[in-house]
Amino acid sequence: MKKILFTIYLVGFFAVVTVFAQNRIVTGSVVAADDGGTMPGVTITIKGTSQGAVSDVDGKFRISAKTGDVLQFKFIGYATAEVPIVNGVSTYAVKLSPENRLLNEVVVTDAYGVQLKKSYTGSATTVSGAVNENKPFTTTMQSLQGEVAGLNITNNSGQPGADVQVHLRGVGSIGAGSNPLYVIDGTIINSGDLSTLTTTANVLAGLNNDDIANITVLKDAAATAIYGSRGSNGVIVINTKKGKAGKTDVEASAELGSTTNIPLPQAGQPLTPAEFKTLTLEGLTNAGADQGTIDYYTQLYSRRSNNWYDIVTRNGSQSQYNVSVSGGNDDTKIFASGGYFHQTATTLASSLTRVTSLVNVDHNISKSVSMSASINVSNVNQYTPTNGGAFSNPIGSAFFLTPFQTAYNKDGSINTNPNDYPSGVSNYNPVYIAQNDRNYLSQTRLLGNLSLKWNIVSTLKFTSFVGLDDNILEENVFNNPIMGDGAPNGSGFDNYSRYFNYIVRQQFDYRWNITKGNDDLYLDLAAGYEVEKDQDYFIQTNTNLYPATQPALRATANASTPILGDSFTNANSGDSFYSRGTLNYKNLFSLTGSFRRDGASVFAPGSQFGNFYSIGGAWNIDQQDFFAKQNTFSSAKIHASYGLTGNRQGVTDYNALSLVGYGSNYAGSPGQNFNAIGNPYLTWETAHKLDIGADFGFLKDRLTFSIDYYRDNIDGNILSVPLALETGFANQLANVGAMLNRGFEISVTGIPVKTKDFTWQTDFNISTNRNTVTKLYNNQPFNYDNNAFLVSVGKDLYTFYAPAFAGVNPANGEVLWYTDATKKATTDNYDDAARIQEYQADPKAFGGFTNTFIYKGFTLSAEIYYNVGNRIFDTWSSYFYDGQFNTEVNKYQYVYENRWTHPGQITDVPKYVDGGSQDGEAANFSSRFLYYGDYVRFKNLSIGYNFTDKALLKTLGISKLYIYGRGTNLFTKTYDKRLPFDPEVGIDGQSNFEVPQVETFTIGLNVGL
């Protein structure tokens, strides 16, 4: 009996040992403990060995291990987790808790998938949505200014909802568009200004900053070639927030504040009544006016006066309210939000109101099939005054009207006296215009997508995606019949525009583990087919003769005379095949490649298809054995890429086609004629992109340093070329130009200091760009952008071409110009002045510097933006310098303070003469009116307190409470004492009496339930 029991014991013992010693496949998933998000790129190793694996883009892992082994899960910024393998369990769910989460993301997300940053070969920057939540800006791009190296964002208007100029790594085209491509939750969208009547608008104004999870800016060919014919100008990928499993989180925020104009530079302030009177009479005297004329203006300018700039500007207000709900379980996750934003601008007749809503749903239908759905609806109502030289422009009126043209009569009523505002000569009374004219835009947007994901097997996945972008714009302009552009009959315009596009994508993703049983060498492949359709529909009406006695009747039906009523449609479509792959060896070396073949209906048959590609490589030096022998760096990576991308912005649906039109009627019968010659060979602009970069980590990667060099050779620029008049047309679009952009990007990001109670986070970046035109039609230069620039081979695209100002003659106060490029000889005759190509409008360098300090519950954050190396031009300088229009418009303070008054005086402002010095030629366009565009702006300062007392929060019945105060655009340092306006203007360096930019002061709170 004992022998039998002993035998049984031995058999059982060896059976148990065998079980414990036998390797098996262990699988599972890794998520972040703080937000439940999946964690790709986590390193999983068996403790005490070199055997390991890496979690995939869905946070899932697969490794061979045996019972008794301990798995170690490591990820930068998170505490290492250890999980023992126990008998009978082969699937594990692991949560990693954050330690010092870095500002930089560890994955790169685009419309075609998620790629691990460790093996990524491209150049991309990701900004967390949390960085820009609650900022008092009407568009997301305003918030992003200075946060991404290489991304140049200029807000040249303070109008709420205004279009924002965005350029990535320089201007991408001479004649076509240069805007990046925008992608929201996988859908390629319409962007920019879609309006047809409004002075400036931005379709992205309908996007709520608080709904954004992250924004990724894709820069080089490895990152953008997958977008093919639309990737040349870079791609901005915006991902909205998703729900997470666990307790339902409810968050609410509110913010209130005020806005004021950024102060005008001293040089550009309009003259006071006394100063204007003094200067005007001086000009008349210097011009030899008779005493009667001088007496007339002496009396005229002794009457009542006002300060127009104070009248057309005001203190504005700002408010926003947001609420969101997030929750679910392992199978279903939901995020829903609603938002309200209102801003009354600091300029008359300028405001914006926005209402937004977002619902994101993720659901696991089964173990292998899941779906996601998103719907984002917004409405923006915007009132926008005119700009530039329009007589109804309120900001222009502050300068074009004299201080003695009063806004109000003595009895307090609005002044509409035609003697004070002569039609066709003077600007109108902006107070009356603001109350009686209407410039209105209602912009409604529906963004939606639905995707279905099928994990066919563990290594093969299929995704079907459909997305749509529907924009409806209703615009109304009414010009009253009493005063202004509508007088004496009144006029009205009503435009309806609809921009609808959809995209359908079918994609397979495959993972091939080349080495058996581990992820030491694997190949990720993706291939898909995509179709897209754009359809636009427009209705336009124009009427006049409105009832002058009923100013409130502004609808088109109240007018007696129809002028215009028409409708038309545009449409284009495209289809694409795309693929990309990543070969990764132990996260040490990675090679990537992509290919896309695009077809586009906007080009003629025979020119409708193009091929685009990229190749890239990365070497993670920190994975080498020798790296462990040094203590300076905690990580190091070198990456490079090259590829071909395309651009077809600015090519309308029918530019390539020969067209006929009707309307050339004869004897009451419809007539037809050719109205466009087209070009059957017109095709995409292309960019050959080279990028070489390096990334280094310090202090266990708490601090990272990145540097990139890029070189973009842009060919086939679409320009207008002359035709023989025998063709019946003067010009034709053709691919005849080329240019080069190259530069460096440097960024430093991380947490230099972290203790128990104190944390310092910093983010610094600087970008340089040098642009050179390399080819033109017959290499012939041409004037560009109101003749301010001359485009020529070997020069920057935005190189000013102006007569060279040589100063003011101290002997007689007349303007001098140089006669040639050597700048040795001068002349006082404008016609003999040499026009010289010098000074560029686009900056040579720009960037941002952000520091955040956290001490216990307090947070202090400061952002600085800077721009250097460019000149900017005052478009309306001829009116406000010297004595041209002496008695008709106000002048700049700089003129009053620095005008030449006596022989021997050294100054750059000539003698003030009625009609203008030297017969008005002194105020003609020249380099005299080019100013240094360098500036440093204190863009944002916020201070807040996060209540961490759990007992207090529990008493209040909430889980989170954060209160803060914020100021934006608090201070701007400029470097030209002559500068009359804010230096932040568009890429062409020209001001145009836009609504001024504003300072904001807000207080707010965020509450979690």
Side-chain angles (χ1 to χ4, degrees):
M1 186 66 180
K2 291 182 179 180
K3 290 182 178 180
I4 295 174
L5 292 174
F6 182 72
T7 301
I8 293 173
Y9 171 78
L10 289 177
V11 172
F13 174 80
F14 284 111
V16 170
V17 171
T18 301
V19 168
F20 272 82
Q22 186 175 9
N23 277 20
R24 65 181 189 276
I25 298 300
V26 174
T27 62
S29 60
V30 189
V31 299
D34 56 343
D35 61 10
T38 58
M39 295 188 62
V42 176
T43 301
I44 304 107
T45 58
I46 298 175
K47 189 173 182 179
T49 74
S50 60
Q51 183 181 350
V54 178
S55 62
D56 64 17
V57 293
D58 295 317
K60 297 179 180 179
F61 67 90
R62 185 174 184 272
I63 191 171
S64 177
K66 63 181 181 294
T67 300
D69 283 345
V70 175
L71 299 185
Q72 286 186 326
F73 295 80
K74 294 182 179 181
F75 195 77
I76 295 173
Y78 288 79
T80 299
E82 294 188 352
V83 177
I85 304 300
V86 298
N87 187 33
V89 180
S90 296
T91 302
Y92 294 84
V94 181
K95 293 183 178 181
L96 296 187
S97 299
E99 286 184 326
N100 305 323
R101 176 171 287 189
L102 298 182
L103 298 178
N104 58 312
E105 295 292 329
V106 294
V107 294
V108 177
T109 304
D110 58 26
Y112 305 99
V114 180
Q115 300 176 82
L116 302 180
K117 194 70 176 283
K118 196 73 175 173
S119 59
Y120 194 63
T121 65
S123 179
T125 300
T126 298
V127 178
S128 171
V131 173
N132 292 315
E133 286 182 0
N134 302 124
K135 286 187 177 178
F137 300 120
T138 53
T139 62
T140 299
M141 291 300 104
Q142 288 176 282
S143 304
L144 206 61
Q145 185 188 53
E147 295 179 349
V148 177
L151 190 66
N152 185 13
I153 299 174
T154 53
N155 311 305
N156 59 322
S157 172
Q159 165 66 38
D163 196 18
V164 178
Q165 290 192 14
V166 181
H167 296 91
L168 182 62
R169 294 185 167 181
V171 179
S173 177
I174 300 175
S178 294
N179 294 318
L181 181 69
Y182 291 85
V183 180
I184 297 181
D185 290 335
T187 302
I188 297 173
I189 65 164
N190 287 303
S191 62
D193 188 349
L194 302 181
S195 66
T196 54
L197 293 174
T198 305
T199 304
T200 178
N202 189 337
V203 69
L204 286 175
L207 187 62
N208 188 346
N209 258 350
D210 281 31
D211 288 337
I212 295 174
N214 56 65
I215 300 175
T216 300
V217 180
L218 309 178
K219 304 176 185 179
D220 67 337
T224 64
I226 190 71
Y227 292 91
S229 61
R230 302 207 285 188
S232 280
N233 296 320
V235 182
I236 296 179
V237 180
I238 301 173
N239 294 303
T240 59
K241 293 178 179 178
K242 302 284 188 178
K244 57 185 179 182
K247 173 183 173 292
T248 300
D249 290 328
V250 179
E251 294 193 6
S253 64
E255 183 182 74
L256 296 170
S258 63
T259 59
T260 58
N261 280 332
I262 292 178
L264 276 174
Q266 173 67 19
Q269 294 182 8
L271 301 184
T272 67
E275 291 168 340
F276 178 78
K277 179 179 179 179
T278 298
L279 196 62
T280 301
L281 296 179
E282 180 181 311
L284 290 168
T285 301
N286 289 337
D290 59 68
Q291 190 60 43
T293 301
I294 293 176
D295 291 343
Y296 170 77
Y297 282 104
T298 300
Q299 182 178 359
L300 182 67
Y301 294 151
S302 298
R303 61 179 184 172
R304 289 189 314 119
S305 61
N306 51 213
N307 184 319
W308 276 114
Y309 194 80
D310 287 347
I311 290 172
V312 302
T313 60
R314 61 192 178 188
N315 289 329
S317 62
Q318 158 117 10
S319 61
Q320 62 173 319
Y321 308 92
N322 296 288
V323 62
S324 66
V325 180
S326 176
N329 52 39
D330 289 340
D331 287 329
T332 304
K333 306 177 187 68
I334 298 176
F335 177 87
S337 73
Y340 172 85
F341 180 98
H342 176 78
Q343 188 176 89
T344 299
T346 56
T347 300
L348 294 179
S350 174
S351 66
L352 178 141
T353 301
R354 177 182 69 207
V355 178
T356 61
S357 63
L358 170 68
V359 177
N360 280 331
V361 179
D362 299 285
H363 177 65
N364 294 326
I365 300 173
S366 67
K367 289 184 177 180
S368 59
V369 180
S370 62
M371 62 158 287
S372 298
S374 176
I375 184 167
N376 190 335
V377 181
S378 64
N379 175 256
V380 174
N381 292 325
Q382 180 177 323
Y383 289 90
T384 309
T386 58
N387 67 351
F391 282 177
S392 57
N393 176 8
I395 296 300
S397 296
F399 295 88
F400 281 109
L401 294 175
T402 73
F404 299 96
Q405 293 173 277
T406 54
Y408 299 95
N409 298 312
K410 291 181 180 180
D411 62 3
S413 60
I414 298 176
N415 183 8
T416 58
N417 188 339
N419 293 324
D420 286 340
Y421 304 97
S423 178
V425 177
S426 166
N427 276 41
Y428 315 122
N429 186 340
V431 177
Y432 188 87
I433 297 299
Q435 292 188 12
N436 294 278
D437 280 6
R438 176 182 169 96
N439 292 275
Y440 173 73
L441 164 68
S442 176
Q443 186 169 263
T444 301
R445 181 172 213 165
L446 170 64
L447 272 172
N449 67 72
L450 178 67
S451 65
L452 186 70
K453 183 186 296 183
W454 176 24
N455 293 316
I456 303 171
V457 294
S458 62
T459 56
L460 181 63
K461 177 175 66 178
F462 171 73
T463 303
S464 180
F465 177 91
V466 58
L468 63 88
D469 179 20
D470 191 11
N471 294 275
I472 298 174
L473 285 76
E474 301 174 29
E475 298 175 82
N476 170 250
V477 171
F478 173 75
N479 300 315
N480 78 85
I482 305 301
M483 171 184 279
D485 294 326
N489 299 315
S491 62
F493 303 83
D494 285 286
N495 284 10
Y496 172 91
S497 308
R498 184 180 185 187
Y499 301 84
F500 177 80
N501 71 282
Y502 67 84
I503 187 168
V504 178
R505 182 184 305 126
Q506 316 293 343
Q507 179 174 317
F508 285 94
D509 292 272
Y510 178 68
R511 163 69 68 91
W512 177 27
N513 289 315
I514 301 173
T515 53
K516 301 299 181 182
N518 58 53
D519 293 333
D520 285 354
L521 181 63
Y522 65 83
L523 178 65
D524 278 336
L525 295 171
Y529 178 72
E530 188 175 86
V531 295
E532 184 177 7
K533 178 97 180 220
D534 291 308
Q535 294 176 301
D536 306 330
Y537 176 58
F538 305 91
I539 300 175
Q540 300 177 344
T541 68
N542 175 209
T543 56
N544 66 14
L545 284 178
Y546 284 75
T549 58
Q550 302 292 331
L553 299 180
R554 301 175 177 179
T556 300
N558 296 306
S560 62
T561 305
I563 304 299
L564 171 69
D566 68 7
S567 66
F568 57 96
T569 62
N570 293 324
N572 70 78
S573 60
D575 66 345
S576 308
F577 166 80
Y578 62 90
S579 62
R580 72 177 173 195
T582 299
L583 180 65
N584 185 299
Y585 176 65
K586 289 186 175 182
N587 268 345
L588 175 61
F589 299 107
S590 59
L591 296 174
T592 63
S594 68
F595 173 80
R596 181 171 179 128
R597 180 169 175 79
D598 273 346
S601 68
V602 297
F603 300 112
S607 302
Q608 291 180 325
F609 291 90
N611 300 322
F612 308 92
Y613 64 88
S614 74
I615 55 174
W619 174 28
N620 288 299
I621 306 172
D622 50 56
Q623 301 298 305
Q624 299 280 182
D625 292 338
F626 64 78
F627 190 80
K629 298 177 181 179
Q630 55 80 46
N631 297 315
T632 303
F633 303 104
S634 52
S635 64
K637 175 182 177 180
I638 296 174
H639 62 88
S641 69
Y642 180 81
L644 179 71
T645 58
N647 177 31
R648 62 178 176 90
Q649 283 185 45
V651 180
T652 67
D653 297 331
Y654 313 111
N655 272 155
L657 304 179
S658 298
L659 303 176
V660 297
Y662 289 86
S664 301
N665 305 331
Y666 179 75
S669 298
Q672 170 189 311
N673 68 340
F674 286 96
N675 58 15
I677 192 171
N679 181 352
Y681 305 106
L682 191 70
T683 187
W684 291 278
E685 297 184 346
T686 58
H688 293 265
K689 292 176 172 282
L690 169 69
D691 183 274
I692 301 172
D695 307 306
F696 301 97
F698 306 87
L699 305 174
K700 295 183 179 180
D701 277 8
R702 288 211 324 266
L703 192 66
T704 60
F705 171 87
S706 299
I707 181 170
D708 279 84
Y709 169 77
Y710 64 89
R711 183 181 178 90
D712 295 348
N713 249 315
I714 303 164
D715 198 11
N717 275 186
I718 297 173
L719 299 172
S720 179
V721 300
L723 294 176
L725 294 180
E726 289 87 340
T727 64
F729 298 90
N731 48 58
Q732 176 188 52
L733 292 179
N735 300 95
V736 294
M739 65 180 181
L740 174 67
N741 284 317
R742 66 274 198 203
F744 288 92
E745 297 169 359
I746 298 174
S747 61
V748 180
T749 303
I751 307 173
V753 178
K754 182 172 180 62
T755 66
K756 178 183 178 182
D757 295 325
F758 177 77
T759 300
W760 169 31
Q761 298 176 348
T762 190
D763 190 333
F764 170 82
N765 68 78
I766 183 171
S767 307
T768 67
N769 182 71
R770 184 180 176 189
N771 173 275
T772 306
V773 176
T774 57
K775 179 183 176 184
L776 294 172
Y777 177 70
N778 290 336
N779 283 336
Q780 291 298 308
F782 62 89
N783 289 317
Y784 188 61
D785 204 344
N786 297 322
N787 295 327
F789 307 98
L790 182 70
V791 179
S792 61
V793 173
K795 295 287 187 178
D796 185 287
L797 173 63
Y798 284 104
T799 301
F800 284 105
Y801 184 54
F805 177 62
V808 170
N809 189 337
N812 58 16
E814 292 189 344
V815 169
L816 299 174
W817 297 274
Y818 290 111
T819 57
D820 56 41
T822 65
K823 296 185 177 181
K824 293 181 179 179
T826 63
T827 180
D828 59 4
N829 187 341
Y830 183 80
D831 292 336
D832 295 332
R835 296 194 71 160
I836 299 176
Q837 274 186 286
E838 60 180 350
Y839 312 126
Q840 64 186 61
D842 48 327
K844 295 180 179 178
F846 60 90
F849 188 27
T850 300
N851 288 282
T852 301
F853 305 95
I854 303 171
Y855 177 70
K856 294 186 176 180
F858 290 97
T859 299
L860 174 68
S861 182
E863 297 178 35
I864 291 173
Y865 178 77
Y866 60 91
N867 174 101
V868 297
N870 64 313
R871 298 290 177 98
I872 52 183
F873 171 52
D874 184 0
T875 311
W876 301 99
S877 55
S878 62
Y879 287 86
F880 308 117
Y881 277 88
D882 308 341
Q884 279 189 297
F885 310 100
N886 176 36
T887 62
E888 300 165 21
V889 301
N890 209 334
K891 302 296 176 181
Y892 290 143
Q893 189 68 228
Y894 189 81
V895 176
Y896 184 80
E897 294 177 352
N898 296 277
R899 67 193 186 279
W900 184 93
T901 56
H902 58 274
Q905 181 182 355
I906 305 299
T907 183
D908 56 359
V909 179
K911 181 179 180 180
Y912 193 85
V913 181
D914 182 63
S917 177
Q918 294 149 275
D919 296 325
E921 290 184 341
N924 287 354
F925 171 58
S926 75
S927 61
R928 174 187 173 197
F929 305 114
L930 301 182
Y931 310 101
Y932 289 99
D934 307 349
Y935 69 94
V936 178
R937 175 162 285 162
F938 194 177
K939 183 184 173 187
N940 182 61
L941 175 68
S942 65
I943 183 169
Y945 183 75
N946 186 27
F947 288 82
T948 56
D949 187 332
K950 293 183 179 179
L952 173 63
L953 297 177
K954 186 176 181 180
T955 301
L956 296 174
I958 58 179
S959 61
K960 180 178 74 172
L961 176 61
Y962 179 71
I963 60 173
Y964 65 91
R966 186 193 308 275
T968 65
N969 295 335
L970 299 178
F971 173 77
T972 303
K973 171 63 177 175
T974 59
Y975 297 88
D976 194 330
K977 66 179 182 179
R978 305 173 303 126
L979 183 67
F981 49 82
D982 186 80
E984 186 172 354
V985 297
I987 195 70
D988 63 355
Q990 300 184 49
S991 69
N992 199 26
F993 281 134
E994 307 284 352
V995 172
Q997 293 211 51
V998 297
E999 299 174 342
T1000 62
F1001 300 91
T1002 58
I1003 56 173
L1005 62 85
N1006 297 339
V1007 178
L1009 303 179

